[in-house]
Every structure is written in C-alpha cells, then in structure tokens.
Amino acid sequence: EDIYRPPDKKVLLQMNCNICHRYDSLTPGADYINYAKKLIKEKGCRACHKINGRGGVIGPDLTYEGDKSPEQFDYSRVGGKKSVFAWHVAHFKNPKMVSPESIMPEMGFTSREAIALTLLMLSWKKVNLPPEYYPQSYTALADLPTPEEIEKERQMREGEGAFFVNKGCFVCHSISVFGIESAAKIGPDLSNAVEDVPSRFGKTLENFIKEPTGTMSIVLGSQIMLSDEEKAQVVELLTKAYEKYRKQQLTSKP
C-alpha cells in the first residue's frame, strides 16, 4: 500500500467539499474529513496550532495550510511520489524525519489517521464565496468553541495551575491535581514531578529546571523561555502539586 498517495479519487472530492464545509463537525459522505476533525479535538492540535483563529502559537498557523504552493516544501526526505500530499502524510507519521528542525513530537498516527489529517489540512484554503454558497446551517462563518470547551478552558486558566496553561506546558503535560489535562499527553503528569524527576534524571526538580537535559533542554531553551523568578515559581507550584498528590495517594489507600 502506498500511503503517500490518496487512497482513491473520491477522497479528493471530500477534500474539495470541505473548502465550503470547513465549519461542519460532520459532513454526510465525508468520512475521512469527519474522522480528521474528530482527531483534531482528541489529539489537542489547537494546543500548539492556531486553526480558524483559535489555538496556540508554538506551532505554525494552519488556518490556510492548503494555500501553500508545492515549492514551499522540501521533499528530500519523503518516500514515494514527491507531492504536498506525501509530505504531509510523512510529516504526520514522523515529523523530525521529514523536517529535522521541527519541534512537533511523534504522535503515533496510523496511516489512516495521517491520510485523513492531510486531506483536512489541504482543504483549508482561503476562498471568497457569496453567503448563499455556504451551508444554510451556518449561523456564522466561524469555528466556535462549544460551551463545554469554553468552561474547561476557563477552569484551567483560572485554577491553581494557570501558570502552566499560560506558558504552554499543558500542551505536553497534564497536572491532574490542578485539574489540568493535556490532550496530547506526550510527557508525564507533573503532579508528582518532585519525585519523578530525580528518578528519571538523577537531579532534584530545582536543579533540573535550572539545567534541563534531553528534550526539555530544547523546549526551555527555545520555546518556553522562563526567567529565574518563573523557574522558582515552577518549583514552588510543582512542590505544592506534589503535596496534593501525596495526600490523594494516602487517602486512596485502604
């Protein structure tokens, strides 16, 4: 199976239909597109990427990703047929293999998931059509968050762990004792970082935050820049989180 090519011409029709139906959560007959939209929510892609005006800024804005010209991509590390479609599929499967400077982690996408997401992204184009061309169900041409999403974000941004949300740490890490849930869950839950960091890295949490190693040295060196005061705040907050974590562990034991 050549995953670097669309499965058949019908899926390309789904991609083209979504140019107008981009704000639909479900579009009849567009199975790949519907699946990809579900993945966008489940995998927390907006934590890093801005899509339709909403999302983070750690990764590139994907709102009009489909408008990029083929010349903007480096195909030297892409197998199979060299195309924009192939580039995106390969990048979803293994970001750093395709683009070594990419900070996107490997998400473990299956071939079907990578294909679906690629079709969706290539449908995100800027078009100017008369209002009557759009589905009549649209009350506004916008991708609006659900009331549940709004409330969850409010709770995380106003709660005890607001610092980690505002700094973008929650993209990869949950802090469950503070009610912070990472959609991607790439890194460990930081609720017990005080205990976990020494066992992993042989350093105290304070020393690790000051002199991180591995992936965190890249993240804290180029993406999430912290002042000395903010580093001290991280240690203080995670120490508080660990105290809550230990209390929960003790009370949960019979």
Side-chain angles (χ1 to χ4, degrees), residues 203-215:
K203 291 183 175 184
T204 64
L205 175 63
E206 183 176 6
N207 287 337
F208 182 79
I209 295 299
K210 288 180 178 178
E211 297 180 359
T213 57
T215 301

Side-chain angles (χ1 to χ4, degrees), residues 8 21 30 66 110 119 187 193 195 217 220 229 246 249-250 253:
D8 55 60
H21 287 266
T110 65
L119 290 166
E195 178 183 303
S217 66
L220 294 179
E229 291 77 11
R246 288 295 297 157
Q249 293 294 304
L250 292 172
K253 290 181 179 181

Side-chain angles (χ1 to χ4, degrees), residues 24 47 61 66 91 103 138 181 224:
D24 283 343
D61 189 329
H91 188 264
I103 62 169
Y138 287 174
E181 181 183 357
I224 302 176

Side-chain angles (χ1 to χ4, degrees), residues 3-172:
I3 67 168
Y4 299 109
R5 300 180 67 179
D8 55 60
K9 292 182 179 179
K10 292 181 181 178
V11 300
L12 296 179
L13 181 61
Q14 293 184 32
M15 183 180 73
N16 288 332
C17 289
N18 196 60
I19 293 174
C20 291
H21 287 266
R22 70 182 297 159
Y23 303 120
D24 283 343
S25 57
L26 289 173
T27 304
D31 295 342
Y32 269 90
I33 294 295
N34 293 337
Y35 183 44
K37 289 178 179 178
K38 183 182 176 196
L39 287 171
I40 292 292
K41 289 186 176 181
E42 290 180 349
K43 299 296 184 179
C45 302
R46 273 196 169 94
C48 291
H49 299 280
K50 185 170 287 187
I51 303 170
N52 298 335
R54 290 196 296 123
V57 295
I58 293 177
D61 189 329
L62 301 178
T63 301
Y64 300 117
E65 183 68 20
D67 281 333
K68 287 185 178 179
S69 65
E71 291 77 16
Q72 291 180 258
F73 298 88
D74 177 3
Y75 305 100
S76 60
R77 299 176 180 85
V78 176
K81 184 178 180 181
K82 312 296 184 184
S83 67
V84 175
F85 183 92
W87 190 94
H88 279 297
V89 171
H91 188 264
F92 276 122
K93 296 279 284 183
N94 191 337
K96 291 188 183 300
M97 182 273 289
V98 176
S99 182
E101 70 279 4
S102 175
I103 62 169
M104 180 174 171
E106 193 169 336
M107 302 289 290
F109 290 124
T110 65
S111 296
R112 183 170 183 263
E113 288 172 338
I115 289 170
L117 288 166
T118 296
L119 290 166
L120 178 62
M121 287 217 309
L122 294 182
S123 76
W124 287 338
K125 298 181 178 182
K126 185 181 292 185
V127 292
N128 293 309
L129 297 174
E132 58 267 23
Y133 278 49
Y134 289 97
Q136 296 302 309
S137 59
Y138 287 174
T139 56
L141 296 179
D143 188 352
L144 302 176
T146 64
E148 293 77 15
E149 289 173 333
I150 292 173
E151 176 59 18
K152 183 177 180 181
E153 183 174 338
R154 184 196 67 76
Q155 290 176 357
M156 292 203 302
R157 290 195 180 278
E158 296 178 6
E160 293 177 284
F163 175 90
F164 301 101
V165 177
N166 294 327
K167 285 294 181 180
C169 308
F170 82 114
V171 171
C172 297

